[in-house]
């Protein structure tokens, strides 16, 4: 047990963990820094989105208002939705998760700090591209959901839609990175003894949310890629005159779009679940039921997407499936509401500031949920579709289910960042302005919609009964905006005049309050042993014990950034994770991607590949910096615990991270297959005039190449496990060669046998499937070449096997998906032609 | 103790998603098969007084209900052997999710029993 004074431990740890200042800040990878950057940037975008909303309400305040023209209005309402959804809500969730997770899990940082930093730069650069377009007057103007054919080049010939497609895709890279980071961190990077069932419920919420992000974002990314291919190269995926289908876009968009609502809601609900027991002075009721409800909600939310498309002409039976699922999703939501209510009833609620926002959440979100059940009913939906009733509903759900809880969460956790308490009189006034302004804006908007006012119209005639409700909504929106402004004032006052405190001002029982405030760069001077869900209740002196180095990995005796990795379920420590120091690589790699996206936007397609090369070079450098050239000695973690270093542990986060990336990739591939089948079964002018012409021998050769590359990579890994360096090298080289030959075969198939991707959607989607396979085979060449290089430079051994296992997993994934893709494009014409 | 008790392991997390994976498979299969059947004209082919489309969809529906129900038996046996700190909560969550998924499969696919056709 350490006897070192806490201040000495603090100085030693801070010297290792501190974030650089000045230009060096670009290299910062610490989760607190990156999380704060996400949160602050998201709130800046929120302010911009709010200003756009005020312009919308100013325009609609009275009939035939000349304030904004149709073109400007289209850009403004599109940007309002885009900014709020893609640049505020999701990044705020990511920022909160990245900032909080290590603190509530008892860790010093995330599993992949550089990945989070890379994600932040992608978000910032992508968001800046979208925002810059508004300043140049070429902002997206087809609605935040970019429906085709309005967003196709025929009706949107400028770059407006390209800005959205490329900018949002760039930002979504960030979301996928954050999702992998969150899942792996929660499953592996926790403190000792924190089993899955001792985890704070917030971690369960974030785990499920991140899992949903991995599966929900790829359909949108695929849709954006396909639409950009159509706009840039005339591949007609969505053009009905050439065998495409506009509805394919709607399907891909809402496959993302509806789970997205729950991706936004669940972390906010996690905050509600965290805060209610604290302010009710009791424990949460129904821990297990809440976990079951979250997982149910996640699955069910993927069966609702067509309820955004009830009026497009889908057969009644299919509508009934989605209507039934839409009603069903209310059940797990209600279970959570009952658990929260029961907790409040069991405890002694205190109406502190965060609690005030939670009460706002209850009243607003439940109303939004009820109108959601109304809209789940097909006959009502047909009447209310595309009216202001839907606008009112979605704002009740999103502001009620996300903004109010996040304001509560901000009030609750901001003192952890600042070390100061809020100035209460100002913050209470801010709440009431937001709450009353919100209802003033959106309650009456339900009636505006029921009176027949459609969405997305820049003006309306007087005398239709819409004048007064619109004016009231506009006045309400300005009151709400004043409330948000006051909220910002409150934060400034808190930073300047807020009362200082040392620890745990709210009486929380989680590890996030077992550290001094503001939270230090390393979070915990030593990592505690957790024996219940409420460690601070078990030991109110836990914070002092941690600071005194009485836990594991006390201080920084090796001058390394260390944290524990545990068994996924039991929370028993199984290795020590050595974290990377500050590094410019994530910034430079994201910069390379920015070059690609910007040049592509300006139609410099060939030159844009320079950006890809830059990103690939820094990606290689990033990977190369992992691991070591010798087998590491186990480390003393304290209290008699000796653990291996992560790159000598079989359950290290790296391979788990790769698997979750591939899960997202599989969702992308599944969406592509869905698109192929959708076009075959639904689009006009199918079967196509020209069919893929491939002989059996060539097909067998391609299949053998794919399977061979996979099998050889597996043999290489097995040889490595046995310490057989010669066979390891030979099998790896064989796998690389097989991939190279397969790549050539796929290239020949695309160039010589596949029908033109321009003349019919069949050719386009077939080429997309071949392209997917080809890209993965190319990356397989790089993966195996990388593993070969690591072998040659001594980074690989039977103990240090991550490179070999990575290559094996990639080649296996490539073989399975490419073979499935080839089977589809060869067999479908025979089955349905 | 029977001697077969064991702690909850990582692969047991499968039981948290198994039931709803069956639900998701059934939901996707019904939606996809309906589109394929309509495209292939199965709704206009009759077999024993019902359309081929209705037979196919009902078959898929019942198969998924059977699969969802069948999960419960091995889950009871396996979860019954879990022991240790996480066992009780994990068992509760796994059983609740499996049964909730079965109810969801019955509810969301039920329209195949009452609605017809491709209109």
């Amino acid at each position: 047990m350490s006897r070192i004074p806490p201040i000495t431990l603090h100085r030693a740890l801070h010297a290792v963990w501190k974030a650089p200042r000045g230009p060096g800040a670009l290299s910062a990878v610490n989760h607190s820094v990156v999380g704060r950057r996400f949160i602050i940037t998201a709130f800046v975008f929120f302010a911009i989105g709010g200003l756009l909303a005020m312009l919308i309400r100013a325009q609609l305040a009275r009939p035939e208002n000349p304030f904004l023209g149709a073109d400007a209005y289209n850009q403004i309402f599109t940007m309002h939705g885009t900014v709020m959804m893609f640049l505020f809500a999701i990044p705020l969730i990511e920022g909160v998760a990245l900032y909080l997770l290590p603190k509530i899990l008892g860790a010093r940082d995330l599993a992949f700090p550089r990945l989070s930093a890379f994600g932040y730069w992608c978000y910032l650069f992508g968001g800046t591209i979208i925002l810059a377009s508004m300043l140049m007057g070429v902002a997206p103007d087809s609605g935040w959901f970019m429906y085709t054919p309005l967003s196709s080049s025929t009706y949107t010939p400028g770059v407006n839609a390209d800005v959205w497609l490329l900018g949002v895709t760039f930002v979504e890279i960030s979301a996928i990175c954050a999702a992998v980071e969150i899942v792996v961190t929660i499953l592996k990077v926790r403190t000792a003894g924190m089993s899955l069932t001792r985890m704070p419920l917030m971690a369960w919420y974030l785990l499920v949310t991140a899992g949903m992000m991995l599966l929900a974002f790829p359909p949108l990314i695929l849709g954006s890629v396909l639409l950009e291919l159509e706009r840039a190269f005339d591949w007609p995926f969505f053009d009905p005159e050439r065998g495409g289908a506009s509805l394919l876009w709607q399907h891909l968009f809402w496959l993302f779009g509806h789970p997205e609502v729950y991706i936004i809601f669940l972390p906010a609900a996690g905050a509600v679940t965290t805060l209610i027991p604290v302010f009710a002075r009791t424990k949460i009721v129904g821990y297990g039921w809440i976990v079951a409800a979250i997982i149910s909600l996640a699955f069910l939310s993927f069966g609702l997407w067509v309820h955004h498309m009830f009026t497009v002409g889908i057969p009644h039976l299919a509508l009934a499936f989605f209507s039934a699922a839409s009603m069903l999703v209310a059940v797990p939501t209600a279970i959570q509401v009952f658990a929260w209510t029961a907790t409040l009833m069991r405890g002694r609620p205190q109406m502190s500031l965060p609690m005030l926002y939670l009460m706002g959440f209850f009243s607003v979100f439940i109303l939004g949920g009820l109108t959601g059940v109304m809209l789940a009913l097909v006959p009502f939906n047909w009447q209310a579709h595309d009216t202001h009733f839907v606008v009112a509903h979605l704002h009740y759900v999103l502001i009620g289910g996300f903004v109010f809880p996040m304001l509560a969460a901000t009030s609750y956790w901001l003192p952890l960042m600042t070390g100061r308490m809020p100035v209460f009189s100002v913050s209470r006034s801010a709440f009431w302005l937001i709450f009353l302004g919100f209802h003033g804006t959106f309650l009456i908007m339900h009636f505006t919609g029921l009176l027949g006012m459609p969405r997305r119209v820049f003006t309306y005639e007087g005398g239709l009964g819409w004048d007064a409700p619109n004016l009231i909504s506009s006045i309400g929106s300005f009151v709400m905006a004043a409330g948000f402004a006051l909220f910002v004032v409150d934060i400034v006052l808190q930073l300047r005049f807020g009362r200082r405190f040392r620890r745990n001002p709210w009486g929380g029982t989680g590890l996030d309050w077992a550290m001094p405030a503001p939270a230090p760069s390393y979070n915990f001077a030593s990592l505690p042993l957790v024996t219940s869900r409420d460690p601070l209740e078990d030991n109110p002196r836990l914070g002092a014990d941690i600071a005194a180095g009485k836990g594991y990995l006390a201080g920084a005796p090796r001058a390394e950034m260390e944290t524990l990795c545990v068994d996924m379920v039991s929370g028993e420590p199984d290795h020590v994770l050595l974290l990377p120091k500050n590094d410019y690589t994530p910034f430079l790699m994201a910069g390379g991607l920015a070059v690609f996206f910007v040049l592509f936007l300006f139609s410099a397609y060939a030159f844009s590949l320079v950006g890809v090369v830059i990103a690939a070079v820094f990606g290689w450098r990033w990977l190369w910096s992992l691991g070591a050239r010798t087998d590491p000695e186990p480390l003393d973690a304290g209290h008699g615990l000796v653990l291996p270093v992560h790159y000598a542990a079989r359950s290290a986060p790296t391979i788990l991270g790769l698997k979750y990336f591939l899960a997202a990739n599989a969702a992308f591939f599944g969406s592509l297959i869905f698109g192929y089948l959708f076009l075959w079964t639904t689009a006009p002018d199918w079967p196509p005039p020209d069919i893929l012409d491939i002989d059996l021998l060539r097909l067998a050769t391609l299949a053998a190449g794919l399977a061979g590359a996979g099998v050889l990579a597996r043999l290489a890994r097995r040889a490595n496990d046995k310490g057989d360096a010669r066979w390891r090298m030979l099998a790896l080289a064989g796998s690389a060669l097989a991939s190279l030959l397969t790549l050539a075969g796929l290239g020949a198939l695309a160039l010589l046998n596949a029908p033109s991707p321009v003349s019919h959607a069949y050719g386009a989607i077939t080429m997309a499937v071949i392209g997917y396979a080809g890209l993965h085979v190319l990356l397989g060449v790089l993966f195996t070449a990388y593993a070969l290089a690591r072998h040659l430079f001594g980074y690989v051994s039977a103990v240090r096997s991550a490179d070999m296992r990575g290559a094996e997993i990639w080649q296996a994934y490539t073989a399975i998906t490419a073979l499935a893709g080839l089977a589809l494009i060869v067999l479908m014409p025979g089955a349905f032609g | 103790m029977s001697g077969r008790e064991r702690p909850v392991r990582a692969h047991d997390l499968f039981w948290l998603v198994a039931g709803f994976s069956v639900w998701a498979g059934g939901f996707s299969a019904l939606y996809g098969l309906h589109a394929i059947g309509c495209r292939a004209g199965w709704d206009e082919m009759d077999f024993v007084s019902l359309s081929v489309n209705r037979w196919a969809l009902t078959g898929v529906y019942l198969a998924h209900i059977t699969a969802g129900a069948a999960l419960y038996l091995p889950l009871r046996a396996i979860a019954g052997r879990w022991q240790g700190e996480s066992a009780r909560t994990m068992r509760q969550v796994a059983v609740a999710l499996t049964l909730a998924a079965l109810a969801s499969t019955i509810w969301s696919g039920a329209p195949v029993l009452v609605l017809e056709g491709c209109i």
Side-chain angles (χ1 to χ4, degrees), chain A residues 187 193 195-198 204 251 286-289 291-293 295-297 299-306 314-318 320-325 327-328 533 567-570 674 677-678 680-683 686-687 832, chain B residues 7-13 16-18 20-24 27 30-32 34-36 38-40 53 57 85-87 89-90 92-94 96-97 100 103-105 107-119:
Chain A
L187 290 177
S195 65
L196 273 185
T197 52
R198 283 181 187 147
W204 274 105
H251 278 288
Y287 181 101
W289 289 108
V291 173
I295 296 172
S296 316
L297 201 58
F299 273 95
L300 291 171
S301 72
F302 281 88
L304 314 183
W305 83 90
V306 166
I314 289 171
H316 290 188
L317 180 55
F321 297 145
F322 290 93
S323 181
M327 285 183 257
L328 201 59
R533 289 176 192 155
D567 174 78
M568 267 189 218
V569 178
S570 70
F674 167 81
L677 294 172
F678 181 83
W680 263 105
T681 52
T682 308
W686 286 67
F832 275 88
Chain B
V8 187
R9 299 194 183 114
H11 61 75
D12 293 317
L13 299 179
L16 301 189
V17 296
F20 271 103
S21 297
V22 171
W23 170 83
F27 195 83
L30 286 176
Y31 182 54
H34 178 247
I36 290 169
C38 289
R39 162 89 175 153
N53 214 12
L57 291 170
E85 176 269 321
S86 295
T89 308
M90 290 295 281
Q92 176 200 357
V93 174
L97 281 167
S104 303
T105 305
W107 171 257
S108 56
V112 300
L113 302 176
V114 290
L115 288 175
E116 178 65 88
C118 301
I119 51 166

Side-chain angles (χ1 to χ4, degrees), chain A residues 714-765:
Chain A
R714 184 173 175 78
L715 289 176
R717 195 268 303 157
R718 291 177 66 166
N720 182 60
D721 286 350
K722 292 175 187 165
D724 187 340
R726 184 164 163 268
W727 277 106
R728 176 176 71 199
M729 187 183 72
L730 286 174
L732 264 182
S735 183
L737 187 63
S739 291
L740 212 51
L741 293 172
T742 309
L743 187 62
L746 285 171
L749 180 69
L751 293 173
L752 304 176
N753 301 85
S756 158
V758 175
S759 56
H760 192 278
Y762 168 76
I765 196 85

Side-chain angles (χ1 to χ4, degrees), chain A residues 110-300:
Chain A
L110 299 155
F112 311 114
R114 286 184 289 193
L115 188 64
S116 303
F118 171 68
Y120 173 74
W121 296 117
C122 288
Y123 161 49
L124 184 69
F125 295 157
T128 305
I129 290 171
I130 295 172
L131 212 58
S133 73
M134 196 165 61
L135 299 176
M136 291 188 267
V138 289
D141 56 359
S142 312
W144 81 275
F145 29 63
M146 280 290 131
Y147 278 180
T148 56
L150 182 60
S151 57
S152 300
S153 47
T154 311
Y155 301 101
T156 306
V159 297
N160 309 56
D162 302 302
V163 169
W164 191 97
L165 296 167
L166 295 168
V168 166
T169 300
F170 199 4
V171 172
E172 294 326 318
I173 292 172
S174 156
I176 298 286
C177 292
V180 171
E181 179 79 275
I182 291 166
V183 172
V184 177
T185 298
I186 293 172
L187 290 177
K188 290 301 296 179
V189 189
R190 310 194 298 260
T191 195
M194 187 178 278
S195 65
L196 273 185
T197 52
R198 283 181 187 147
M199 271 197 329
L201 277 166
M202 183 73 180
W204 274 105
Y205 275 100
L206 290 172
L207 175 64
V208 173
T209 304
M212 291 174 70
M213 287 165 74
L214 289 176
L215 301 180
F217 283 96
L220 176 67
I221 296 173
L222 173 73
S224 300
V225 169
L226 298 187
L227 184 51
E228 189 54 32
L229 283 173
E230 178 175 300
R231 291 180 55 86
F233 304 117
D234 201 25
W235 293 19
F237 299 101
F238 307 103
D239 179 2
E241 292 187 353
R242 287 180 288 164
S246 290
L247 278 187
L248 175 60
W249 170 265
Q250 291 199 28
H251 278 288
L252 292 173
F253 183 85
W254 290 115
L255 264 167
F256 145 81
H258 201 84
E260 149 88 345
V261 174
Y262 293 90
I263 287 169
I264 289 172
F265 167 64
L266 281 177
V272 175
T273 308
T274 306
L275 269 58
I276 281 182
V278 172
F279 293 101
R281 301 282 169 234
T282 186
K283 292 182 193 302
I284 190 80
V285 172
Y287 181 101
W289 289 108
I290 291 176
V291 173
I294 306 166
I295 296 172
S296 316
L297 201 58
F299 273 95
L300 291 171

Side-chain angles (χ1 to χ4, degrees), chain A residues 28 32 240 592:
Chain A
S32 291

Side-chain angles (χ1 to χ4, degrees), chain B residues 57-72:
Chain B
L57 291 170
T58 307
V60 167
Y61 175 54
L62 295 176
H64 281 88
I65 291 175
T66 309
L71 279 177
Y72 185 66

